[in-house]
Amino acid sequence: MAQTSVMDKLVSLCKRRGFVFQSSEIYGGLGSVWDYGPLGVELKRNIKDRWWHAMVRAREDIEGLDAAILMHPKVWEASGHVAGFTDPLVDCKTCKARFRADQIGDAACPQKPSKHPGEHSTCALTEPRMFNLMFKTVMGPVEESGSVVYLRPETAQGIYVNYLNVLQSSRQKIPFGIAQIGKAFRNEITPGNFIFRTREFEQMEMQFFVKPGEDAEWFERWRVLRMAWHEGLGLTPEKLRWHQHAESELAHYARAAYDIEYEFPFGWNEIEGVHNRGDFDLTNHQMASGKKLEYFDQAANARYLPNVVETSAGADRIALTVLVDAFREEQVEGDTRTVLGFLPSVAPIKAAVLPLVNKDAMPETATALFNDLRKRFACFYDDGGAIGRRYRRMDEVGTPYCITVDGQTATDQTVTVRHRDSMAQDRVSIDQVAAYLGERLQ
Ligand code: GAP
């Protein structure tokens, strides 16, 4: 399969089957903003639930948080985002396109896509100028300079400004972490590759507060845990790797940073960052707010500003990773079968219930089974068309099991359970179907 066509096919499948739609499509769309349809919202929710479970529910040393998107404007001065969250921007006066100066070598000239911007005879590129990626808006009814607020470009700052609140209310002790999932916004110069780089996206971030001097050790521990989480999502291990940031790549806050990268059809790219942020953020917030953020360590009888190890993943980017990794086409009996081979726990629909034909009490039996199963699992009922076509429709959206009520059901109270990947079919007693699925959908 040609590399580019994988993305084209996936984007088309996502729209056709209700995973992802372009935002405001009836108005021509809004650049690099996407909406999740009925199946997409389930997929992304399942990914976020897995993350929340691994990071918060399954651990005693991490608390959850849901901080607001709008924050005091001084937060973004203290965090370094007002001064430093910038990309170098270059305009072409001829075609009016904009490029990141540091990524010109990867960009295509809109006038002649086989060339890079600046290489065509009519290109007229400006000198690079720094462009702040934060979206600004105004708070309150009066538009004046004092009322400017920003849409957060990362969720992390909501955690830093609440670190004392969480520490005191939860009675945690260092080392401990705070996790949150929420929207972030960046006015990216060159967004693209579907939901890979967008202007509105969701982050799943965790800040782990540790004693100074123990940061390097925790950094290594979190690297191991985060890679294991991605592998646990069922992603192809050979398509995951680490990229260590060189000194010149490090974000303004980082002492050390590694990205977890995935090999997309458009190349290796970051899906999560693990950062050693030292005491950069707490020091700056302490200074800018005038509020003491030190921790008193009773065991060591010492006061200090904790260091922070951050794990920062994009929910949309991981949804894309899961989609890309799951997508496959197979030849079956002279036909092309499209499959999204999701890990069952992230599949939007866990089981489809299908009456073989719409007569002989099969719909009634199937409806009763469907109503029973949907109490526990995300299920789908489909009685339209030939059974083979219905199986294919479920394969295409990644449904791991199809349960068919057929002519034999009335005589021996059994149904067939068809497996998405092997297409093998088991005969299961109708009153055992829920337990059968329960064992396999952990
Ligand atoms: N708090 C640190 C931070 O935000 P980052 O490397 O800028 O670090 C972390 O972002 C993760 O957020 C990325 O690995 C990616 O998964 C996601 N992300 C960042 N920008 C994004 C964008 N424009 N669209 C989609 N996801 C994005």
Side-chain angles (χ1 to χ4, degrees):
M1 227 184 307
Q3 295 300 297
T4 46
S5 77
V6 173
M7 284 307 289
D8 291 344
K9 286 176 183 173
L10 192 62
V11 172
S12 147
L13 188 159
C14 281
K15 177 170 180 200
R16 191 162 31 83
R17 300 307 310 270
F19 282 92
V20 181
F21 309 124
Q22 196 179 9
S23 162
S24 322
E25 194 184 1
I26 60 168
Y27 289 97
L30 181 66
S32 289
V33 184
W34 300 89
D35 298 337
Y36 287 79
L39 296 187
V41 69
E42 292 285 345
L43 174 70
K44 190 153 79 132
R45 183 173 295 236
N46 291 339
I47 292 169
K48 290 187 289 183
D49 283 350
R50 275 184 75 91
W51 186 88
W52 192 258
H53 183 80
M55 300 300 272
V56 181
R57 297 251 165 93
R59 295 187 63 105
E60 286 177 1
D61 56 356
I62 300 188
E63 302 289 338
L65 179 75
D66 185 7
I69 288 169
L70 299 178
M71 302 181 73
H72 197 291
K74 284 191 178 158
V75 167
W76 305 108
E77 287 170 25
S79 69
H81 284 81
V82 171
F85 196 54
T86 51
D87 278 339
L89 170 72
V90 166
D91 289 290
C92 177
K93 288 185 187 158
T94 310
C95 70
K96 311 289 179 229
R98 295 186 144 177
F99 310 98
R100 265 180 67 168
D102 55 341
Q103 291 179 354
I104 283 245
D106 299 329
C109 170
Q111 303 188 85
K112 193 154 176 42
S114 59
K115 291 182 181 284
H116 299 305
E119 290 178 357
H120 190 257
S121 55
T122 60
C123 291
L125 299 187
T126 60
E127 283 300 308
R129 65 194 159 88
M130 294 317 273
F131 173 79
N132 196 298
L133 302 185
M134 283 197 293
F135 281 96
K136 270 185 198 166
T137 187
V138 284
M139 187 138 167
V142 189
E143 280 196 34
E144 54 190 38
S145 59
S147 55
V148 166
V149 290
Y150 300 96
L151 301 188
R152 66 181 176 201
E154 62 171 12
T155 61
Q157 300 302 324
I159 294 181
Y160 299 131
V161 300
N162 276 296
Y163 133 83
L164 270 190
N165 286 335
V166 175
L167 183 67
Q168 286 158 0
S169 58
S170 65
R171 310 192 57 178
Q172 287 280 358
K173 289 189 172 61
I174 286 205
F176 85 107
I178 306 176
Q180 83 167 323
I181 299 178
K183 289 269 186 175
F185 302 82
R186 295 183 190 177
N187 199 0
E188 300 278 4
I189 299 170
T190 50
N193 285 323
F194 194 32
I195 52 171
F196 177 81
R197 190 181 308 284
T198 56
R199 294 195 165 104
E200 172 177 341
F201 54 98
E202 260 182 301
Q203 287 189 314
M204 308 188 288
E205 295 201 302
M206 191 280 301
Q207 315 296 318
F208 204 75
F209 300 87
V210 304
K211 191 173 175 181
E214 295 181 359
D215 47 314
E217 186 188 323
W218 276 105
F219 182 60
E220 289 309 319
R221 269 192 219 170
W222 277 110
R223 282 184 51 203
V224 172
L225 288 171
R226 292 310 303 151
M227 184 58 100
W229 185 82
H230 288 277
E231 287 167 355
L233 265 183
L235 301 178
T236 309
E238 300 75 46
K239 293 195 170 195
L240 288 167
R241 72 174 187 195
W242 285 107
H243 165 73
Q244 182 178 12
H245 283 216
E247 197 73 31
S248 58
E249 286 175 88
L250 286 177
H252 59 275
Y253 50 73
R255 271 184 196 170
Y258 277 85
D259 293 338
I260 297 177
E261 292 188 335
Y262 179 82
E263 190 180 18
F264 290 95
F266 46 88
W268 285 96
N269 277 283
E270 171 191 348
I271 56 173
E272 168 155 359
V274 183
H275 310 129
N276 182 345
R277 296 178 73 130
D279 61 2
F280 176 89
D281 302 274
L282 292 184
T283 301
N284 287 351
H285 285 308
Q286 178 167 269
M287 250 164 24
S289 67
K291 169 108 180 151
K292 276 248 168 282
L293 298 178
E294 283 175 341
Y295 172 76
F296 179 64
D297 187 331
Q298 274 180 328
N301 194 26
R303 232 170 246 289
Y304 52 77
L305 269 184
N307 282 191
V308 172
V309 174
E310 168 182 70
T311 70
S312 175
D316 311 82
R317 211 172 267 190
I318 292 170
L320 178 63
T321 314
V322 165
L323 281 161
V324 165
D325 204 74
F327 181 84
R328 64 175 194 264
E329 287 179 327
E330 297 169 356
Q331 291 307 311
V332 180
E333 293 163 11
D335 215 18
T336 303
R337 177 172 98 111
T338 303
V339 185
L340 285 176
F342 295 134
L343 189 74
S345 76
V346 298
I349 302 170
K350 310 298 184 206
V353 182
L354 321 167
L356 184 63
V357 288
N358 280 316
K359 57 181 188 183
D360 301 335
M362 289 183 214
E364 290 76 7
T365 309
T367 305
L369 179 61
F370 172 63
N371 284 332
D372 183 40
L373 293 178
R374 72 196 300 197
K375 292 181 197 144
R376 282 182 60 190
F377 312 105
C379 290
F380 185 76
Y381 184 86
D382 188 5
D383 61 3
I387 192 72
R389 301 244 328 254
R390 279 183 270 165
Y391 285 152
R392 292 286 189 275
R393 284 206 292 264
M394 284 296 111
D395 293 341
E396 197 184 39
V397 298
T399 305
Y401 299 103
C402 285
I403 298 147
T404 305
V405 174
D406 57 17
Q408 198 181 320
T409 308
T411 51
D412 67 2
Q413 299 299 301
T414 63
V415 291
T416 62
V417 179
R418 174 194 179 265
H419 298 239
R420 175 196 65 203
D421 295 326
S422 64
M423 293 185 283
Q425 299 192 7
D426 292 339
R427 201 91 214 159
V428 178
S429 176
I430 205 161
D431 59 1
Q432 290 301 311
V433 175
Y436 182 96
L437 293 179
E439 278 168 26
R440 289 161 178 80
L441 290 170
Q442 305 292 343

